[in-house]
Amino acid sequence: MARTIKKTEKIISDAVVNRLPRYFRFLSELRRAGVERTSSTELSVLMGATASQIRQDLNCFGGFGQQGYGYSVPYLYENIASILGVDRDYRAIIVGTGNLGRALASSPVFEKRGVHVTALFDVDEKLIDTTFCGFRIKNMAELEAYCEKERPDIAVLTVPRGAAKDTAERLVAAGVKGIWNFTNIELTPDKAMVQNVHLGDTLMTLCYNVRKNEEQKKGTDAEDGSEEV
Amino acid sequence: MARTIKKTEKIISDAVVNRLPRYFRFLSELRRAGVERTSSTELSVLMGATASQIRQDLNCFGGFGQQGYGYSVPYLYENIASILGVDRDYRAIIVGTGNLGRALASSPVFEKRGVHVTALFDVDEKLIDTTFCGFRIKNMAELEAYCEKERPDIAVLTVPRGAAKDTAERLVAAGVKGIWNFTNIELTPDKAMVQNVHLGDTLMTLCYNVRKNEEQKKGTDAEDGSEEV
């Protein structure tokens, strides 16, 4: 997406948006360490980017820096938190309470980002009505009635891949605005935002880098004998 | 990383490397559906990229396409699998067997990518020597001896964040070549490759997109009344 800046409107690129959570993470660390001020140079070391890119990124959000002073950590933190919607109190439901659903339900990942899990759903009779992390696991048959009443913003989709599409359609029809999708099926519904998480992709990138690193250490060409790819 | 092409060596950019697992995923789907041939146009629809970018990406790996025929799905699949090291039989250990460690241990994410989990480790006396997914959970005190004997390639790090750095150092000293890091602490050891997974980042990006989408639907400016960021 190209970045265009109008007088009363800034549209920022997906690339910058995707970097924002990292800024938020590093600023959280600085804040936790009691650091009051930072600079584009310091942030560039933390982020592994150039100071100029940092300044450019932060300028997209109204240029919170001051020359000779740098950036106020709490101010920058609050602003990026607000841009990311961390102060919004989103409500989320977890759909699919297998190992991954339960791991997410019991992790601090939601609360730290202003997202509150309000219910867990499953189709498995053995799990329905059992309690996990203080939640009574609900029957998927109750989904529509629940959504109509409680209006969750986000659904965390951790159902088996075969059930991914149908479940996503039900969630969108029930008014869910965003799907955090762990099913490894790429979902692209019209009426809701989706963040597809493909854990396996990062594992494969790691495997690739391990292999490259070993080859470089050995100082040899790749297996095909002619090309290092 | 800039892309430079020498006669006997191709160095490809991180951006292309990061896209490879996605190619692999889509090619797996085509292969599963029995599709024999594909084109840069078809791949571009699946990948959400231009056909020209697809051709450019695939050319980095030796240009497997043929004019008028396109790409052979099995051939492209095998080649990308090989480049990614899926045919390497990497051995992995999972360090930290809390909810996330157990969710990963019981997921198909490893086997599908040629990675074999060989052991699980924890420090918790209540978990040590219990069995999960056919593994007897080992005591972290046994880590070094185990690594010396079994030479695992990859460690999946799912310990609490406070233990992240020390554990990573022990793993690298014990000869582990890659760390798949779920601790939310950015690790950058010298002697091993790391893939830092920050699940929360994608949740925040989703929250941001949900908010943007709502604002666009309302057709109003952002909360500050003047700028949409």
Side-chain angles (χ1 to χ4, degrees):
Chain A
M1 198 198 298
R3 200 177 76 214
T4 54
I5 299 177
K6 292 186 208 164
K7 201 179 172 186
T8 58
E9 190 181 344
K10 283 189 185 180
I11 295 170
I12 59 151
S13 73
D14 289 353
V16 179
V17 170
N18 288 334
R19 281 197 290 274
L20 273 185
R22 275 191 87 207
Y23 282 109
F24 181 75
R25 234 181 323 114
F26 287 119
L27 288 162
S28 307
E29 305 268 346
L30 291 173
R31 195 161 157 262
R32 206 176 328 196
V35 177
E36 283 283 322
R37 257 193 229 194
T38 186
S39 65
S40 51
T41 312
E42 186 178 32
L43 283 172
S44 77
V45 175
L46 287 173
M47 296 275 294
T50 64
S52 143
Q53 159 145 66
I54 303 286
R55 284 193 298 272
Q56 218 176 330
D57 279 2
L58 297 179
N59 277 342
C60 289
F61 301 104
F64 308 118
Q66 284 171 38
Q67 231 169 6
Y69 179 86
Y71 298 89
S72 151
V73 170
Y75 185 76
L76 202 53
Y77 173 88
E78 293 299 334
N79 272 286
I80 291 183
S82 165
I83 289 162
L84 285 168
V86 175
D87 51 359
R88 289 282 171 130
D89 287 334
Y90 285 115
R91 276 158 304 158
I93 58 175
I94 296 179
V95 181
T97 58
N99 287 301
L100 183 59
R102 288 203 297 272
L104 290 168
S106 60
S107 85
V109 73
F110 296 103
E111 294 298 329
K112 271 172 71 181
R113 290 167 185 86
V115 179
H116 305 286
V117 175
T118 59
L120 272 52
F121 287 88
D122 211 295
V123 291
D124 185 343
E125 301 267 322
K126 287 196 292 292
L127 294 172
I128 291 166
D129 285 336
T130 62
T131 301
F132 183 78
C133 280
F135 294 100
R136 184 184 64 81
I137 297 174
K138 292 184 193 295
N139 190 330
M140 269 301 278
E142 301 170 43
L143 180 76
E144 282 77 8
Y146 178 88
C147 289
E148 197 177 331
K149 194 172 163 222
E150 302 294 340
R151 296 267 156 232
D153 305 286
I154 287 166
V156 184
L157 196 59
T158 50
V159 299
R161 53 182 288 141
K165 276 205 159 164
D166 288 351
T167 311
E169 276 168 26
R170 274 181 73 181
L171 287 164
V172 175
V176 161
K177 298 167 205 158
I179 297 177
W180 198 22
N181 173 25
F182 285 85
T183 66
N184 212 31
I185 295 278
E186 206 115 341
L187 296 173
T188 51
D190 287 338
K191 290 183 182 161
M193 308 310 290
V194 174
Q195 197 70 28
N196 295 305
V197 181
H198 296 288
L199 288 180
D201 285 12
T202 59
L203 175 61
M204 294 184 92
T205 306
L206 178 63
C207 289
Y208 175 88
N209 287 330
V210 165
R211 181 170 80 80
K212 285 298 298 174
N213 201 33
E214 283 189 301
E215 283 171 14
Q216 274 161 14
K217 269 188 200 155
K218 282 183 202 154
T220 57
D221 284 349
E223 286 191 336
D224 69 0
S226 66
E227 282 193 317
E228 192 173 319
V229 283
Chain B
M1 199 197 301
R3 198 177 77 214
T4 55
I5 300 177
K6 291 186 212 164
K7 202 179 172 187
T8 58
E9 192 182 341
K10 283 189 184 179
I11 295 169
I12 58 153
S13 73
D14 289 354
V16 179
V17 171
N18 287 333
R19 280 196 291 274
L20 273 184
R22 274 192 87 209
Y23 282 109
F24 181 77
R25 236 183 318 115
F26 287 120
L27 288 163
S28 307
E29 305 267 347
L30 290 173
R31 196 162 157 261
R32 206 176 328 197
V35 176
E36 282 284 321
R37 258 193 228 190
T38 187
S39 64
S40 51
T41 312
E42 187 178 30
L43 284 172
S44 77
V45 174
L46 289 172
M47 296 276 295
T50 65
S52 142
Q53 159 145 68
I54 304 287
R55 283 193 298 272
Q56 217 176 332
D57 280 2
L58 298 179
N59 278 341
C60 289
F61 301 105
F64 308 118
Q66 285 170 37
Q67 231 170 6
Y69 178 88
Y71 298 89
S72 152
V73 170
Y75 184 76
L76 203 52
Y77 173 88
E78 293 300 333
N79 272 286
I80 292 184
S82 166
I83 289 162
L84 285 168
V86 175
D87 51 359
R88 291 279 172 132
D89 288 334
Y90 284 115
R91 277 157 303 157
I93 57 175
I94 297 179
V95 180
T97 58
N99 286 301
L100 183 59
R102 288 201 299 272
L104 291 168
S106 60
S107 85
V109 75
F110 297 102
E111 294 297 331
K112 271 172 71 181
R113 290 167 186 85
V115 179
H116 305 287
V117 175
T118 59
L120 272 54
F121 287 87
D122 212 295
V123 291
D124 186 342
E125 302 266 324
K126 288 197 291 293
L127 294 172
I128 291 166
D129 285 335
T130 62
T131 301
F132 184 78
C133 280
F135 293 100
R136 185 184 63 82
I137 296 174
K138 291 183 193 298
N139 190 330
M140 269 300 277
E142 300 169 43
L143 181 76
E144 283 77 9
Y146 179 88
C147 289
E148 197 176 332
K149 196 172 162 220
E150 303 293 339
R151 296 267 156 230
D153 304 287
I154 288 167
V156 184
L157 196 59
T158 51
V159 299
R161 53 183 287 139
K165 278 206 158 163
D166 288 351
T167 311
E169 276 167 26
R170 274 181 73 181
L171 288 164
V172 175
V176 161
K177 298 166 204 159
I179 297 177
W180 199 21
N181 173 25
F182 285 85
T183 65
N184 213 30
I185 295 278
E186 205 115 343
L187 296 173
T188 51
D190 287 337
K191 291 184 181 161
M193 308 310 290
V194 174
Q195 197 70 29
N196 296 304
V197 181
H198 296 287
L199 287 179
D201 284 12
T202 60
L203 176 61
M204 294 184 93
T205 306
L206 178 64
C207 290
Y208 175 87
N209 287 330
V210 165
R211 181 170 81 79
K212 285 297 298 174
N213 199 34
E214 282 188 302
E215 284 172 13
Q216 274 160 12
K217 270 189 200 155
K218 281 183 202 152
T220 56
D221 284 347
E223 286 190 339
D224 69 0
S226 66
E227 282 195 313
E228 190 173 319
V229 284

